[in-house]
Amino acid sequence: MSPRRFPFRLLLLACLLPALAGAGERVARIVIDPGHGGAKEGAKGPGELWEKEIALQIAQRLREKLEAAGSEVFLTRDRDAQMALSERVEFSNIQRPDLFLSIHANSMPTKRLRERTEGIETYFLSANASGEAARAVADRENAEAPTARSARGHSTLAFILDDLARTEAHSDASRLAYAIHPRLVSRSGAADRGVQQAPFFVLTGVEAPAVLIEVGFISHPQEGAKLGRAAYQETLAEAIADGVQAFLRETRRRDSSPPQPVAGSTAP
């Protein structure tokens, strides 16, 4: 081999290594869950706008962006169809996803609150709600679940929530929520209502980091109208997709790093 050509070949190999490493990287599998559907219309917005429509439209836009970034994406529903919360969880686990995103729009019950309450909230599962407002949101979204308002007993929901109270198994869901939420607020300019925790039925049993995103208050006169606009939906979808990509990058770096020695231990 010519001494002059050797460095060039090394340089070429160095340039190809990142691409070869990326080619072997497993494609991320993502489930997007557009809330409600069919006769379960969700919250009402201005005019004839319903939560089920907004959730599906944003989910479809988000799917396009995540697929363009190289992920494999599944929707729990891709049309205006009714689907039980338990069926959404079962469908998700069949796909063996790396993460789960449930898309919803928020609402307030009284005229006064509808006129003044707006903003974005991002939730991950917890046995205890962050506060009364978070509990109210979970109760509203859980209304379609058969066990939502019954005694906890030995239900699947009770088992999972009790387990969460004892472990930190939901830490990746927290990381996912904090990767998505600030990007949503920054890109949209919406009011920041924070990352919250609550016992959402649809997040129980999903065998992956799972979050529920309330993309805004459809009941607010101005924000509700914005949620129906294609350009604003694009902005929301882009922000969520960017947050997902940031989460995936961080997770891959963490999982590819060698384990750190326990404090006080000595290397062999």
Side-chain angles (χ1 to χ4, degrees):
M1 179 182 293
S2 167
R4 292 184 178 181
R5 296 185 63 185
F6 183 70
F8 172 75
R9 292 187 177 183
L10 283 179
L11 178 62
L12 180 61
L13 180 60
C15 293
L16 288 174
L17 280 175
L20 292 172
E25 195 172 76
R26 191 176 69 84
V27 172
R29 296 170 65 86
I30 299 170
V31 171
I32 306 174
D33 172 46
H36 308 284
K40 304 295 186 179
E41 297 174 310
K44 179 73 169 60
E48 296 301 316
L49 201 61
W50 288 94
E51 180 182 1
K52 66 174 184 177
E53 300 165 351
I54 297 300
L56 180 58
Q57 290 162 5
I58 294 174
Q60 290 170 332
R61 296 178 189 280
L62 177 57
R63 174 175 60 184
E64 292 177 1
K65 298 181 188 314
L66 292 173
E67 287 179 340
S71 294
E72 189 173 6
V73 183
F74 308 86
L75 265 61
T76 55
R77 66 178 181 95
D78 58 7
R79 56 191 175 87
D80 184 15
Q82 189 167 321
M83 190 175 192
L85 297 181
S86 57
E87 292 175 330
R88 296 170 191 258
V89 173
E90 182 180 2
F91 170 87
S92 299
N93 287 334
I94 289 173
Q95 314 312 321
R96 301 182 65 83
D98 294 289
L99 57 93
F100 173 92
L101 309 164
S102 191
I103 308 296
H104 290 259
N106 224 329
S107 180
M108 279 294 174
T110 67
K111 184 175 185 294
R112 181 169 177 268
L113 288 174
R114 287 194 293 269
E115 290 176 348
R116 63 187 294 186
T117 308
E118 58 183 310
I120 293 173
E121 299 172 343
T122 306
Y123 288 86
F124 61 94
L125 183 67
S126 176
N128 301 303
S130 302
E132 287 303 314
R135 169 66 67 177
V137 173
D139 285 346
R140 182 173 69 81
E141 300 295 2
N142 288 344
E144 298 173 20
T147 59
R149 299 186 183 279
S150 62
R152 288 177 65 184
H154 297 287
S155 68
T156 301
L157 176 59
F159 175 82
I160 292 170
L161 293 180
D162 287 342
D163 186 61
L164 283 174
R166 297 190 302 267
T167 71
E168 296 182 358
H170 64 325
S171 61
D172 276 356
S174 171
R175 289 175 47 244
L176 177 59
Y178 279 102
I180 291 172
H181 185 79
R183 289 171 170 83
L184 264 176
V185 172
S186 175
R187 298 282 186 85
S188 67
D192 183 357
R193 293 179 60 86
V195 173
Q196 309 283 346
Q197 304 175 51
F200 286 95
F201 186 93
V202 76
L203 300 183
T204 66
V206 175
E207 297 166 0
V211 298
L212 185 145
I213 305 166
E214 296 281 359
V215 295
F217 279 79
I218 195 171
S219 59
H220 187 271
Q222 285 75 47
E223 189 166 62
K226 284 173 65 176
L227 287 170
R229 296 173 189 156
Y232 190 66
Q233 291 179 7
E234 280 287 305
T235 297
L236 296 174
E238 287 172 1
I240 296 171
D242 285 352
V244 167
Q245 294 306 316
F247 170 81
L248 291 173
R249 286 193 299 270
E250 180 187 346
T251 300
R252 285 163 178 159
R253 281 197 300 269
R254 179 197 66 186
D255 293 346
S256 63
S257 299
Q260 298 299 312
V262 178
S265 65
T266 57

